[in-house]
Amino acid sequence: MAQFKGNAVVGQSGGPTAVINESLVGVIQAVKESGHIDQLLGAKHGVRGIINESFIPLKNVPGELLDRIAATPASALGSTRDKPDAAYCEKIFKAFAKNNVRYFFYIGGNDSADTARIVAELAHKESYELCVFHIPKTIDNDLRVHDHTPGYGSAAKFVAAAVMGDNFDNKSLPGIKVDIVMGRHAGFLTAASVLARQHDNDGPHLIYVPESPLSEDKFLADVDRVYSQHGRCLIAASEGISKPNGLTWAESMAQGIEHDSHGNVQLSGSGALGDYLADLIRRKLSPPGGKKLRVRADTFGYLQRSFPGFVSPVDAREARLVGRMAVQYSAEGQTEGSVAMRRLPDAQYKIETFLTPLAGVAKETKHLDASYIADGNNVTDAFVKYAKPLAGELPNVGGFDELD
Amino acid sequence: MAQFKGNAVVGQSGGPTAVINESLVGVIQAVKESGHIDQLLGAKHGVRGIINESFIPLKNVPGELLDRIAATPASALGSTRDKPDAAYCEKIFKAFAKNNVRYFFYIGGNDSADTARIVAELAHKESYELCVFHIPKTIDNDLRVHDHTPGYGSAAKFVAAAVMGDNFDNKSLPGIKVDIVMGRHAGFLTAASVLARQHDNDGPHLIYVPESPLSEDKFLADVDRVYSQHGRCLIAASEGISKPNGLTWAESMAQGIEHDSHGNVQLSGSGALGDYLADLIRRKLSPPGGKKLRVRADTFGYLQRSFPGFVSPVDAREARLVGRMAVQYSAEGQTEGSVAMRRLPDAQYKIETFLTPLAGVAKETKHLDASYIADGNNVTDAFVKYAKPLAGELPNVGGFDELD
């Protein structure tokens, strides 16, 4: 039984994913169907749209447009990186009270879960009746408690396909190639590059994640060994790879690089780390006096989070589901939490959703389990088993070496 | 009536495309069907495989594997950047004579057409009976005589989709974004970013191609104007953009950067140009003493040429067709040429193939017609009409601003 009578606000926050609008459309559909909410207001650019009372009424958006929006990457309502403090939250309440908002659905990552937590706590303190639900999204897949996060599967599919194509590229014109994959602190997305491998000699030959500190010596020895063995080398490295001294490669490489408003170092939207690693290999591993090694680097950049038309169907379905479930939980009388998924112990991949406290998801990031990392330069079969159903089917490719 | 009795060699050369193996499979299928060729030998890594007599017999490759190879990016036979001189060609003839090779099908761009031309001329000179056919491929779309080139449509689709996604990304978290697209000399691929636009305010807001020299002052004034108007700015710039003094931006920016074996400057496989442009905007357009502008750059890199599972169906079909037609022309008694396409003057998009002399295609590149470029920072509707059928259908996306 729904507890509060009034309107709802839905907002989107943080970095884009390819399926974040599936969750939004899930909320809209479920609100239309359940009937316990009066108006459904979409906040433009997250919490910023709330304090500015910049809303889009969402109940009457035509279904044809919703279908297209669901297939569109990046927040259709606009996003924000604002992180509300107490004063900011006062403004949120004023806007909520003025508009009789009793349900707040916030789609985002762990920063957004933290925003939801702060808003919910202030609501308690001020005895304002408010349901607060965090709806997960992040390509980083780094939310605690959640088995995995909508947005990750599609990004994983994109990275796996990109590395798969690059493996054939590298096979046809052999050389050393570095691919930089998103993920500041968690290596889930970089690790997904393993899904590109189909045969013994396929790349990525080396996979580096932030969880496993990497010295320059080990990196160069790894590349040298693979290149000697295969005459080529394909490397997937996370933008957040770190050195044994605790600094990231990006930090030790650059001084005075940009920070975003959350204090994070700018790693994405720049090819600097990839170019640095390529140059390092070229300088240190080219034969003295001989021909320079052919080394190239690509930084996959924003394409990983906002490439349209190439989503994982499982991911799209689950993103829709967590949006719908947030509304359903609110209709059942739940008042707050993060909508999480867990796997059922079936042989086939199957999940169910549950509500988990906001505080347990907020702020902190989840990391790749140690059992997923091998030798500091590879990932394990256990990780493949974990990630494969999330990315879904990959292109069905082949080569003449299958005849051997 | 086929003139010569003997074997055939097929090879692949130059940079990958997503559909280069469609052409290879077209050759294999047509050879199996026509019956005028004895053995069909696939040369591993192009001309290098010929002189090393490193061949794969192709007539008995299972159809199931051929289907998967056709859908696989980058040369399945391996590629090469070798450009044969007279001495190299002597070795080619020795290998051809030894293996009674009378048909040579070479899949590649204008460098490959030139290789085919040299080989054909030496065959004439030495009175060696040899049919030589160039089968076009290049994501650059820069072959003279050819209306367009297999490989371009799929790369154009990838670039258009990537920029389309990035437009929504940029809309949801506004800022200035630079996307660097492949194309040293020809702007066809960068120009294809225009296909991402669906509504008035959609990016790419600025499109820069190598054919239209661009000064730093014009670039900064363009970005400033768009950013003031829209509060955001999405830029698609070719890796080969040049300055009014004739140097490329990459040349004027960097000293001592790598050259490949054809004397080309290394532009791909590095994020340097994008990072340079982003930094230039940040330095010159950020308000003095105020908050630095949010500027990011992505360099699409190898993904443009070897991303699997996202090809243009028209492009895949045509790539298969030109491979098949090379064999058919040889069966009809033609002895040499490049297999080109031209458009029929129907209202609907329709093409036919024809044979054109190798010399007319070799070496030199075709450029974007002046009628396709607008104001030095945009492309025209005439270009959209030209490119749209080649890229094929793009993701069907949408946003709430359609309600306005």
Side-chain angles (χ1 to χ4, degrees):
Chain A
M1 183 69 68
Q3 299 180 335
F4 311 135
K5 195 79 195 125
N7 300 319
V9 159
V10 59
Q12 296 172 301
S13 184
T17 83
V19 297
I20 187 170
N21 295 324
E22 288 280 1
S23 297
L24 174 64
V25 170
V27 168
I28 298 171
Q29 285 181 332
V31 165
K32 278 158 101 165
E33 287 163 23
S34 81
H36 71 293
I37 285 165
D38 294 336
Q39 283 299 307
L40 175 63
L41 305 172
K44 289 190 184 179
H45 294 286
V47 284
R48 185 165 287 242
I50 300 173
I51 63 170
N52 295 335
E53 291 180 66
S54 180
F55 296 123
I56 307 174
L58 293 175
K59 265 190 166 174
N60 297 315
V61 178
E64 183 278 331
L65 179 57
L66 288 183
D67 286 346
R68 284 189 288 118
I69 286 175
T72 302
S75 312
L77 293 172
S79 187
T80 179
R81 293 197 184 278
D82 283 5
K83 197 178 175 185
D85 55 12
Y88 201 117
C89 284
E90 287 296 330
K91 293 183 195 166
I92 290 178
F93 293 131
K94 274 194 190 141
F96 279 177
K98 189 167 159 196
N99 294 281
N100 192 31
V101 172
R102 300 295 171 172
Y103 298 88
F104 179 32
F105 302 106
Y106 206 33
I107 306 167
N110 51 358
D111 283 337
S112 310
D114 198 41
T115 299
R117 180 189 62 81
I118 298 172
V119 169
E121 279 176 12
L122 279 157
H124 293 173
K125 226 172 67 182
E126 309 211 1
S127 299
Y128 182 90
E129 291 187 328
L130 181 70
C131 287
V132 179
F133 292 91
H134 169 248
I135 298 167
K137 76 85 217 172
T138 164
I139 64 165
D140 292 330
N141 200 39
D142 60 354
L143 298 192
R144 290 176 298 153
V145 188
H146 296 241
D147 174 79
H148 62 281
T149 318
Y152 172 65
S154 295
K157 179 184 174 187
F158 183 90
V159 167
V163 172
M164 178 186 273
D166 211 15
N167 175 58
F168 286 102
D169 194 311
N170 186 254
K171 230 159 103 174
S172 92
L173 285 170
I176 298 169
K177 180 76 194 302
V178 181
D179 287 333
I180 303 292
V181 181
M182 276 184 169
R184 271 166 221 277
H185 306 295
F188 290 97
L189 195 52
T190 306
S193 65
V194 73
L195 302 175
R197 276 187 213 148
Q198 299 186 305
H199 300 285
D200 276 356
N201 298 331
D202 282 349
H205 305 103
L206 298 166
I207 300 175
Y208 298 112
V209 294
E211 289 85 349
S212 195
L214 175 67
S215 70
E216 190 175 299
D217 285 349
K218 174 169 169 59
F219 175 66
L220 290 169
D222 282 350
V223 175
D224 196 33
R225 179 177 43 74
V226 170
Y227 188 67
S228 304
Q229 191 188 338
H230 296 288
R232 65 188 190 96
C233 181
L234 181 58
I235 302 152
S238 173
E239 62 184 359
I241 49 169
S242 63
K243 297 213 162 170
N245 66 7
L247 285 182
T248 64
W249 280 65
E251 279 162 352
S252 33
M253 176 190 111
Q255 298 296 331
I257 44 179
E258 269 191 85
H259 291 65
D260 70 19
S261 64
H262 288 191
N264 299 318
V265 174
Q266 188 212 325
L267 292 172
S268 305
S270 156
L273 177 62
D275 288 350
Y276 177 83
L277 294 177
D279 187 57
L280 180 70
I281 295 169
R282 208 180 288 118
R283 278 189 292 116
K284 298 288 178 101
L285 295 183
S286 292
K291 202 169 167 252
K292 288 252 184 251
L293 287 177
R294 186 185 167 84
V295 193
R296 299 290 184 267
D298 276 328
T299 302
F300 290 170
Y302 286 10
L303 279 66
Q304 297 162 88
R305 66 189 204 184
S306 40
F307 194 83
F310 199 72
V311 301
S312 154
V314 168
D315 187 35
R317 211 158 47 232
E318 292 179 347
R320 180 80 63 114
L321 176 68
V322 293
R324 294 186 66 92
M325 287 309 296
V327 176
Q328 191 175 315
Y329 289 129
S330 81
E332 290 167 3
Q334 302 279 359
T335 55
E336 73 185 59
S338 177
V339 182
M341 292 183 283
R342 67 180 147 228
R343 289 183 204 221
L344 299 178
D346 300 44
Q348 279 224 307
Y349 173 77
K350 216 168 170 185
I351 57 104
E352 66 178 9
T353 63
F354 64 104
L355 262 191
T356 188
L358 293 167
V361 176
K363 279 196 289 194
E364 313 266 319
T365 55
K366 186 175 75 177
H367 294 281
L368 270 179
D369 193 83
S371 69
Y372 287 162
I373 304 173
D375 307 324
N377 61 21
N378 205 348
V379 295
T380 61
D381 289 345
F383 176 79
V384 172
K385 207 177 148 198
Y386 167 80
K388 205 166 187 167
L390 310 181
E393 221 171 293
L394 290 171
N396 194 11
V397 293
F400 290 114
D401 42 8
E402 294 181 36
L403 297 171
D404 296 345
Chain B
M1 184 70 66
Q3 299 180 335
F4 311 134
K5 196 77 195 128
N7 300 320
V9 159
V10 59
Q12 296 174 301
S13 184
T17 82
V19 298
I20 188 169
N21 295 325
E22 288 280 358
S23 296
L24 174 65
V25 170
V27 168
I28 298 171
Q29 285 181 332
V31 165
K32 279 159 102 165
E33 287 162 23
S34 80
H36 71 293
I37 286 166
D38 295 337
Q39 283 299 308
L40 176 62
L41 305 171
K44 287 189 185 180
H45 295 285
V47 285
R48 183 163 288 243
I50 301 174
I51 63 170
N52 295 336
E53 293 181 64
S54 181
F55 297 123
I56 306 174
L58 294 176
K59 264 189 166 173
N60 297 317
V61 178
E64 182 277 330
L65 178 57
L66 288 184
D67 286 348
R68 283 188 289 119
I69 286 175
T72 302
S75 311
L77 292 172
S79 186
T80 178
R81 294 196 184 277
D82 283 4
K83 198 179 176 185
D85 55 13
Y88 201 116
C89 284
E90 287 298 331
K91 294 184 195 163
I92 290 178
F93 292 130
K94 274 195 189 137
F96 278 177
K98 189 169 161 196
N99 295 282
N100 192 32
V101 172
R102 299 296 170 171
Y103 298 88
F104 179 32
F105 302 106
Y106 207 34
I107 305 168
N110 51 357
D111 283 336
S112 310
D114 198 40
T115 299
R117 181 189 63 79
I118 298 172
V119 169
E121 278 176 11
L122 279 157
H124 293 173
K125 227 173 66 183
E126 309 209 2
S127 299
Y128 181 91
E129 291 187 327
L130 181 70
C131 287
V132 178
F133 292 91
H134 168 248
I135 297 167
K137 76 84 218 173
T138 163
I139 63 165
D140 291 332
N141 200 38
D142 60 355
L143 298 192
R144 290 175 298 154
V145 188
H146 296 240
D147 174 78
H148 62 281
T149 318
Y152 172 65
S154 295
K157 179 183 173 186
F158 184 90
V159 167
V163 172
M164 179 187 272
D166 211 15
N167 175 58
F168 286 102
D169 195 310
N170 186 254
K171 232 160 102 173
S172 92
L173 284 169
I176 298 169
K177 179 77 194 302
V178 182
D179 286 333
I180 302 292
V181 181
M182 275 184 169
R184 273 165 222 277
H185 307 294
F188 289 98
L189 194 53
T190 306
S193 65
V194 73
L195 301 175
R197 277 187 213 147
Q198 299 186 309
H199 299 284
D200 276 355
N201 297 333
D202 281 350
H205 304 104
L206 299 167
I207 300 174
Y208 297 112
V209 294
E211 289 85 347
S212 195
L214 175 67
S215 70
E216 190 174 299
D217 285 350
K218 176 171 168 54
F219 174 67
L220 290 169
D222 283 350
V223 175
D224 196 34
R225 180 177 42 75
V226 170
Y227 188 67
S228 304
Q229 192 188 337
H230 295 288
R232 67 189 188 97
C233 182
L234 181 58
I235 302 153
S238 173
E239 62 185 359
I241 50 169
S242 63
K243 296 215 162 167
N245 66 6
L247 286 181
T248 63
W249 279 66
E251 280 162 351
S252 32
M253 177 190 110
Q255 299 295 331
I257 45 180
E258 270 192 86
H259 290 66
D260 69 20
S261 64
H262 288 190
N264 299 317
V265 173
Q266 187 213 326
L267 291 172
S268 305
S270 153
L273 177 62
D275 288 349
Y276 178 83
L277 294 178
D279 186 58
L280 180 69
I281 296 168
R282 209 179 287 120
R283 277 189 293 116
K284 298 288 179 102
L285 296 183
S286 291
K291 199 168 170 253
K292 288 255 184 248
L293 287 176
R294 186 183 166 85
V295 193
R296 298 291 184 267
D298 276 328
T299 302
F300 290 170
Y302 286 10
L303 280 65
Q304 298 162 88
R305 66 188 203 184
S306 38
F307 194 83
F310 200 72
V311 301
S312 154
V314 169
D315 188 34
R317 210 156 50 230
E318 292 178 347
R320 179 79 63 113
L321 177 69
V322 293
R324 295 186 66 92
M325 288 308 297
V327 176
Q328 190 174 315
Y329 288 130
S330 81
E332 290 168 3
Q334 303 278 358
T335 56
E336 72 183 62
S338 176
V339 182
M341 292 184 282
R342 66 181 149 229
R343 287 182 206 224
L344 299 178
D346 301 44
Q348 279 224 307
Y349 172 77
K350 216 168 172 184
I351 56 105
E352 65 179 10
T353 64
F354 64 104
L355 263 190
T356 188
L358 294 167
V361 176
K363 279 197 291 197
E364 314 264 318
T365 54
K366 187 175 77 176
H367 293 281
L368 269 180
D369 194 82
S371 70
Y372 287 163
I373 305 173
D375 307 324
N377 61 23
N378 205 348
V379 296
T380 62
D381 289 345
F383 176 80
V384 172
K385 208 177 148 196
Y386 166 81
K388 204 166 188 169
L390 310 180
E393 220 170 293
L394 291 170
N396 194 11
V397 293
F400 290 115
D401 42 8
E402 294 180 37
L403 296 171
D404 297 345

